[in-house]
Amino acid sequence: MPRKPTHLDSIVIGAGFAGIYMLHKLRNTLGLNVRAFERGTGIGGTWHWNRYPGAAADVDSIAYRYSFDSDLLREWNWKTRYAPQPEILAYLEHVVDRYDLRDDIQLNTTVESLAYDETSGLWTVRTDGGEEFTARYVVGALGPLSTASFPDIEGRDGFTGTQVHTGAWPEDLDITGKKVGVIGTGSTGTQFIGAAAKIAEHLTVFQRSAQYVVPAGDGPLSDEFIEDYRKNHKQFWEKAFNSRVACGFEESQISAMSVSAEERERKFQESWDAGNGFHFMFGTFADIAFNPESNDAAASFIRSKIKEIVRDPETARKLMPTDFYAKRPICNTDYYETYNRDNVTLVSTKENPIVRITPAGVVTEDGTEHELDVLVYATGYEAMQGSYNRIDIRGRGGVSLREYWGEEPSSYLGMAVNGFPNLFTVFGPNSVFSNLPPALQTQVEWIAETIDAARWRGAGTVEATAAAEKEWTAMCREMAEHSLFAQTDSWIFGSNIPGKKRRTLFYFGGIAAYREKLGEIVAADYEGFTLDGEVSLTAT
C-alpha cells in the first residue's frame, strides 16, 4: 500500500453525518487532498457509538438524511417512520462507499492536538498514534453530543456489575433477563426505558427531572408514501430548509391563544394521535416555546395524558413535570405505559436521592439498596464544546481554544472563532437549533464554498473577526433569553453539567433565517471574515 502523505490541503476530524459529507465536499467536489480521522472503530459518529436498545432517530426518517443527491434520495428509503440505529448506520456506510470515501477515513485515530503556525499558515495535527500531519484547513466535525457526562456519585468505581453509558454501548452487551438500573430520562433515557422494560427481568428508573413525552406514532412507511416522496423530494426539502426546525412538517403560524379552548384541545389531540415531539411543539401552534400561556396549555394537555395513562397515582405524580414544556422535544412509543408494567420501578431522585453506588447496586436516601446486574448512565453529554475541550487546540500566539472559550464558548455562526484561522467547526457553539442533518449539511456546504472562495482568491487564511464573533454570540444570547427554553434546566444551556456556568449554545432563529444570514454574508463579500495572505493549495 502506498504511503499516505503527511501534508494535506485539509483535515476533517470525525466521520459521522458531518464528517462524511465534509470529506465528500472537500475531496470530490473541490478536488482537495483530504483525510478524515475518526476515533471509533467504524464510521457513523453518534450512530456508531449509540447502540443501546431502542436507539433510533426521533425525527421522521424522510428528513433525517442528506438531501444533496437526488439519486440517493430516490434510491435509498427507510422502512419505518423513524429510522433505528442499525439502519442509519447502514445508510452512512452506503454513502461512504457510494462516494468512494473509505480509503481517506483513518479509523481508530484520536486527534490529540492542533497547533497553528502563523509563519507557514498551516495547522499541525498530532494523533494518539504519534503521527503528525500538516494542513491548510482543519474542520472539526466532532458532533455536538459526543463527550459523555457521568454523575459524581460515591462508590461508582466499586460496582461489580456492568456499567455503561448509552453513548458507548458495547456491541456484545445484552440486558435480556437482567436487573437493570438507568440514571437519566432525557431523549436517550426515555428511548432506552421503553425498549429495556420489554427484555429486562426488572428495570429501575432513577429520574431526576420528569419529562414531557408525546407518542412517536412510529410504523411502516407505505409504498404510496415512499413513491410520493421520490417524486416530490425537491419540494419537500425546499419547504424543510425554509422552515424553523427542518423536520419535514408544516409548522404552525398561529398562537395557541388565538383559538378557542376546544380548538386547542382538538389540535393537541390530533398531534398526540399522529405522534412526534417536534410536531407537537412547533406544528400545533407557533408560540409554545415563547408564550407562557400557550406553553401552559400544551403542558397541561400532556399532564392530563400522564394522569390518564399511568394507573398508579403515586407513579403518575412522580412522572408529572411542573416546569415549562421547553426542553428538546421528546417522543417515544408507550413511554408512560411502560410504568404500568410489573417489572418497572420509578425512583424520583429529587425526592429520594441516590446516596451511593455499592458493589451490588444503588442505595437511595430511604435506605433501599436497588440490586442491579447492569447500571446504565443515560446522563447526556457536555454539549457543543466538550469534544473540542478534549483536544489541545492552539491558535494565534499559542492561545488555547479551551481557555479562550472558558465557561462560555463563543463563535461566529457556530463555524468559526477569532484567533483560530482556517479552523472550522461543524455545529460548534451557537449553531442553529434544528433537525441535525439539514443543519449539518447547511454548514458543510457553506464551509466548502468558503474554502473554495479563498482558494480562488489565493487567500491564505479565513478568519472570523472579533467584532462579528462578539455580535453573533450576544445576539444568540439575547434571542435565547426571549424563549422559554432559557427558563428550564437542560443540556441546551449546558446546565446538565454540575459546576458549569449556564451558557447559550444555540441560535434560536430557525434554519430558514440562519441560511438567509449565511447568504447575506457571502453577498457582502464575507462580511465578518478576513480573507488574507497568499497561498496555493496542492490541488489545482
Side-chain angles (χ1 to χ4, degrees):
M1 181 179 292
R3 186 173 179 270
K4 294 279 189 178
T6 58
H7 175 66
L8 303 146
D9 294 327
S10 184
I11 284 172
V12 177
I13 308 173
F17 257 100
I20 289 168
Y21 187 37
M22 193 79 251
L23 175 60
H24 170 63
K25 289 295 292 181
L26 294 176
R27 198 200 71 176
N28 295 344
T29 303
L30 300 189
L32 301 184
N33 187 2
V34 190
R35 180 109 39 102
F37 297 106
E38 167 56 52
R39 66 185 176 93
T41 58
I43 63 96
T46 292
W47 301 107
H48 167 81
W49 297 103
N50 286 259
R51 299 170 182 267
Y52 59 86
D58 60 2
V59 171
D60 284 65
S61 56
I62 57 169
Y64 201 86
R65 64 197 306 175
Y66 300 116
S67 64
F68 65 88
D69 186 330
S70 288
D71 290 339
L72 178 61
L73 284 168
R74 284 192 292 266
E75 293 168 18
W76 184 283
N77 281 286
W78 310 109
K79 300 180 180 67
T80 53
R81 181 178 180 182
Y82 301 101
Q85 178 270 334
E87 287 188 29
I88 298 174
L89 188 58
Y91 169 73
L92 293 174
E93 294 277 4
H94 171 78
V95 170
V96 165
D97 291 331
R98 184 185 185 96
Y99 303 107
D100 194 28
L101 301 174
R102 203 168 292 276
D103 284 348
D104 288 311
I105 300 174
Q106 185 169 318
L107 301 173
N108 298 299
T109 303
T110 298
V111 171
E112 292 189 333
S113 69
L114 305 174
Y116 182 70
D117 183 272
E118 296 183 57
T119 302
S120 65
L122 299 177
W123 285 92
T124 297
V125 178
R126 295 181 177 86
T127 73
D128 60 342
E131 296 175 293
E132 186 172 296
F133 302 87
T134 55
R136 177 69 52 185
Y137 296 99
V138 175
V139 182
L142 301 174
L145 299 172
S146 57
T147 300
S149 172
F150 289 88
D152 183 14
I153 302 173
E154 178 188 338
R156 187 157 64 90
D157 294 338
F159 181 61
T160 57
T162 300
Q163 295 188 84
V164 61
H165 193 284
T166 50
W169 193 274
E171 291 186 63
D172 60 352
L173 178 56
D174 183 5
I175 62 169
T176 303
K178 296 182 178 179
K179 295 190 287 291
V180 180
V182 56
I183 301 174
T185 55
S187 53
T188 293
T190 55
Q191 277 190 341
F192 174 78
I193 288 162
K198 295 178 176 66
I199 57 176
E201 176 189 326
H202 192 88
L203 178 68
T204 304
V205 178
F206 298 95
Q207 170 193 274
R208 181 181 65 174
S209 301
Q211 298 284 357
Y212 294 96
V213 183
V214 305
D218 199 8
L221 296 174
S222 68
D223 292 340
E224 294 79 13
F225 181 91
I226 292 173
E227 186 58 32
D228 181 68
Y229 179 77
R230 283 175 173 154
K231 290 180 179 178
N232 299 301
H233 65 268
K234 289 184 180 179
Q235 297 94 314
F236 171 88
W237 281 102
E238 183 178 349
K239 288 181 179 178
F241 281 122
N242 282 289
S243 67
R244 175 177 287 275
V245 292
C247 287
F249 55 80
E250 196 75 32
E251 295 169 0
S252 177
Q253 302 299 316
I254 64 171
S255 167
M257 294 299 104
S258 69
V259 301
S260 67
E262 292 75 19
E263 176 62 8
R264 281 197 299 275
E265 187 79 5
R266 186 193 69 78
K267 289 185 73 69
F268 285 144
Q269 186 64 54
E270 182 179 70
S271 184
W272 180 273
D273 292 340
N276 188 266
F278 279 93
H279 185 275
F280 194 89
M281 182 174 281
F282 296 102
T284 52
F285 297 101
D287 59 346
I288 287 174
F290 302 95
N291 183 334
E293 286 186 281
S294 298
N295 190 275
D296 183 61
S300 295
F301 179 88
I302 297 174
R303 285 193 289 264
S304 73
K305 290 297 183 181
I306 298 171
K307 185 177 181 180
E308 175 185 312
I309 293 167
V310 181
R311 291 195 290 265
D312 177 54
E314 180 60 11
T315 301
R317 182 191 66 78
K318 292 177 184 176
L319 287 167
M320 207 79 70
T322 56
D323 53 357
F324 284 117
Y325 172 44
K327 297 181 180 180
R328 184 192 182 281
I330 298 176
C331 67
N332 285 138
T333 299
D334 296 335
Y335 176 68
Y336 296 118
E337 288 84 350
T338 296
Y339 293 95
N340 291 329
R341 298 177 64 98
D342 293 336
N343 71 326
V344 177
T345 300
L346 175 65
V347 177
S348 170
T349 61
K350 283 186 176 178
E351 300 173 6
N352 187 17
I354 294 173
V355 175
R356 63 185 177 277
I357 296 173
T358 69
V362 172
V363 176
T364 46
E365 195 175 70
D366 63 358
T368 302
E369 182 173 36
H370 304 268
E371 294 187 2
L372 304 171
D373 300 313
V374 181
L375 180 55
V376 177
Y377 297 96
T379 44
Y381 305 87
E382 186 176 356
M384 315 304 275
Q385 73 181 108
S387 299
Y388 291 92
N389 285 346
R390 293 194 305 192
I391 303 173
D392 183 14
I393 302 174
R394 304 273 172 173
R396 291 191 188 275
V399 172
S400 161
L401 180 62
R402 187 185 302 123
E403 293 173 2
Y404 177 78
W405 274 351
E407 288 293 297
E408 190 167 8
S410 61
S411 77
Y412 186 35
L413 308 169
M415 293 188 282
V417 181
N418 176 251
F420 297 82
N422 295 346
L423 174 66
F424 294 95
T425 58
V426 184
F427 226 74
N430 293 334
S431 292
V432 61
F433 182 79
S434 165
N435 177 20
L436 272 174
L440 298 174
Q441 182 173 315
T442 292
Q443 291 192 337
V444 165
E445 290 171 353
W446 196 88
I447 289 168
E449 290 164 7
T450 301
I451 289 175
D452 196 38
R455 173 191 178 198
W456 290 112
R457 290 186 188 198
T461 61
V462 179
E463 184 177 358
T465 67
E469 180 181 323
K470 183 178 180 181
E471 182 181 349
W472 179 258
T473 301
M475 186 269 292
C476 287
R477 186 184 304 116
E478 182 180 355
M479 187 175 288
E481 292 303 322
H482 280 93
S483 77
L484 298 177
F485 285 101
Q487 298 187 42
T488 60
D489 288 331
S490 76
W491 66 264
I492 292 175
F493 288 85
S495 54
N496 61 313
I497 306 298
K500 288 283 187 178
K501 179 181 177 182
R502 182 181 176 83
R503 54 212 187 271
T504 302
L505 295 175
F506 286 97
Y507 165 77
F508 283 99
I511 196 168
Y514 182 74
R515 288 170 65 89
E516 183 178 354
K517 174 67 174 176
L518 297 183
E520 290 171 355
I521 288 169
V522 174
D525 196 26
Y526 286 93
E527 182 181 23
F529 288 90
T530 56
L531 280 68
D532 290 333
E534 295 183 6
V535 68
S536 61
L537 299 177
T538 58
T540 57

